[in-house]
Amino acid sequence: MKIGIFDSGVGGLTVLKSLSEKYNAEYIYIGDNKNCPYGEKTKDELLKYAIRIVNYFIQQGISVIVIACNTCCANVLDDLRVMYKKITFIGVIESTINRFIKQNKNNVLVIDTNATIKTNIYETKLKEKNNNLVVTSLATPLLVPLIEEGIDVKNVLDNYLEPYKDIDSIILGCTHYKLIEDKIDRNITIVNSSDCIVDNIKDFIKPVDKLKIIIYTTGDKYKFSKLSTRIIGLKAKHIDI
Ligand code: DGL
C-alpha cells in the first residue's frame, strides 16, 4: 500500500508525520522546493506542478495521493479529480473545517497563503456549515519563506496577529504553519490543517506491518534534510521531476 504525499516544501511533512504516527504504510513524500512558495503562484502554475508530481506517483504504482498543501487543495484539487478518475486524492481542507466546526467557536481568524485566500475556500466552506460564524481571512505570505529557511518567525507572526483582538480561534490554513503553532501565545483554540487528515483517511489506507517512508525534494537535499531531520527524523533525497 503506497501513498503519495506532496507539498511545496517542508510543510507537508507535518501531515506525513500525523499519518505515519497513526498508520503503517509505505509513504513517498515530495517537497517541491524548486517551485516554493506555492502561495505566490497562479492556478495554471500550480496545476502544472501538481500534474508533474501526480504523474510521477502514478509511475510508481501509487493510487492514493494526499495533497498536503492547502494552496493546491484550494486551487487545483477539483481539476485533478476530473483529470485522474482512477486516483484517490485526499486534501487537507475538508477535514480541517470539520474538526474546527466541532469546536463551536464564533469568531475565527484564518491565516493562509495569498493563493488560498484568493479562492475564498475557507470562508465559503465555514459559512456553509455555520452561517453565524464571523470569519476573517488574512494572507501571511512572509511565513513560508522564513519557515523554509529555518528562521524564527515570532516577531513577524506577532505583527500579523496583533490587530485581531476579538477572535476566539485561529485556523492555520497552511500546512507549514503547524511548525510555528507553538509561537502563538494566545489562550484561544487553534486548529492546524496538518493533523485533521487522520480523521478522513482511514477508509483509504490498508495498514501494512512495516512503516516505510521515502522523502524527496525537488530542491537542495542538504538544506531540506536539515529541516526534515528536525521534523520527522529523516533525511531527503533529491528528485528531478
Ligand atoms: N504548505 C502549503 C499550504 O498548505 C504551501 C505554502 C506555500 O508554498 O506557499 O498552503
Side-chain angles (χ1 to χ4, degrees):
M1 173 84 212
K2 282 196 210 170
I3 297 179
I5 306 183
F6 74 93
D7 179 39
S8 63
V10 295
L13 290 175
T14 59
V15 178
L16 172 62
K17 189 160 191 275
S18 294
L19 283 175
S20 60
E21 280 170 358
K22 185 133 187 185
Y23 300 104
N24 278 356
E26 186 174 341
Y27 298 97
I28 301 187
Y29 183 88
I30 296 181
D32 190 13
N33 291 76
K34 188 171 69 178
N35 298 306
C36 187
Y38 277 3
E40 301 304 308
K41 301 295 190 295
T42 63
K43 181 185 158 102
D44 284 354
E45 288 171 316
L46 293 168
L47 192 56
K48 190 173 82 189
Y49 306 147
I51 286 172
R52 239 179 249 162
I53 295 169
V54 169
N55 286 345
Y56 171 77
F57 282 145
I58 291 172
Q59 278 166 21
Q60 302 305 306
I62 288 174
S63 60
V64 176
I65 297 177
V66 173
I67 305 187
C69 170
N70 290 263
T71 308
C72 277
C73 293
N75 285 277
V76 302
L77 177 54
D78 290 346
D79 302 76
L80 293 173
R81 284 187 171 138
V82 172
M83 291 173 68
Y84 298 94
K85 296 234 162 41
K86 291 194 179 135
I87 303 297
T88 302
F89 291 100
I90 300 158
V92 286
I93 295 180
E94 212 68 53
S95 50
T96 305
I97 286 178
N98 289 340
R99 202 184 266 193
F100 174 79
I101 289 294
K102 288 190 193 136
Q103 314 289 320
N104 287 321
K105 295 292 159 189
N106 302 309
N107 190 341
V108 63
L109 176 70
V110 185
I111 60 171
D112 45 19
T113 67
N114 275 317
T116 303
I117 292 252
K118 273 189 205 141
T119 67
N120 229 8
I121 191 163
Y122 269 101
E123 193 152 349
T124 310
K125 287 188 182 279
L126 286 165
K127 290 279 198 182
E128 270 167 27
K129 303 256 181 196
N130 176 1
N131 200 27
N132 296 322
L133 185 67
V134 179
V135 185
T136 309
S137 296
L138 174 70
T140 47
L142 296 176
L143 296 177
V144 167
L146 292 174
I147 294 167
E148 287 288 336
E149 291 302 320
I151 295 172
D152 184 20
V153 301
K154 178 83 176 104
N155 288 341
V156 175
L157 187 60
D158 284 349
N159 285 338
Y160 273 136
L161 299 183
E162 205 267 331
Y164 303 94
K165 309 248 190 265
D166 297 333
I167 52 171
D168 61 10
S169 46
I170 299 179
I171 293 178
L172 305 180
C174 168
T175 52
H176 280 76
Y177 299 171
K178 168 145 193 222
L179 298 167
I180 53 163
E181 188 170 343
D182 61 348
K183 307 269 178 216
I184 302 175
D185 43 20
R186 294 224 198 161
N187 199 12
I188 56 175
T189 298
I190 301 174
V191 173
N192 69 61
S193 56
S194 307
D195 294 341
C196 311
I197 194 157
V198 292
D199 302 348
N200 250 26
I201 203 166
K202 61 177 182 306
D203 297 339
F204 305 105
I205 288 198
K206 288 184 203 76
V208 294
D209 291 341
K210 210 170 167 319
L211 175 67
K212 189 171 170 201
I213 299 175
I214 303 174
I215 298 176
Y216 293 112
T217 172
T218 61
D220 183 314
K221 68 176 179 183
Y222 299 107
K223 185 174 171 198
F224 194 91
S225 292
K226 269 194 200 156
L227 292 175
S228 64
T229 308
R230 222 183 286 159
I231 296 164
I232 196 163
L234 295 167
K235 288 186 178 161
K237 299 176 188 172
H238 175 80
I239 191 169
D240 242 335
I241 49 169

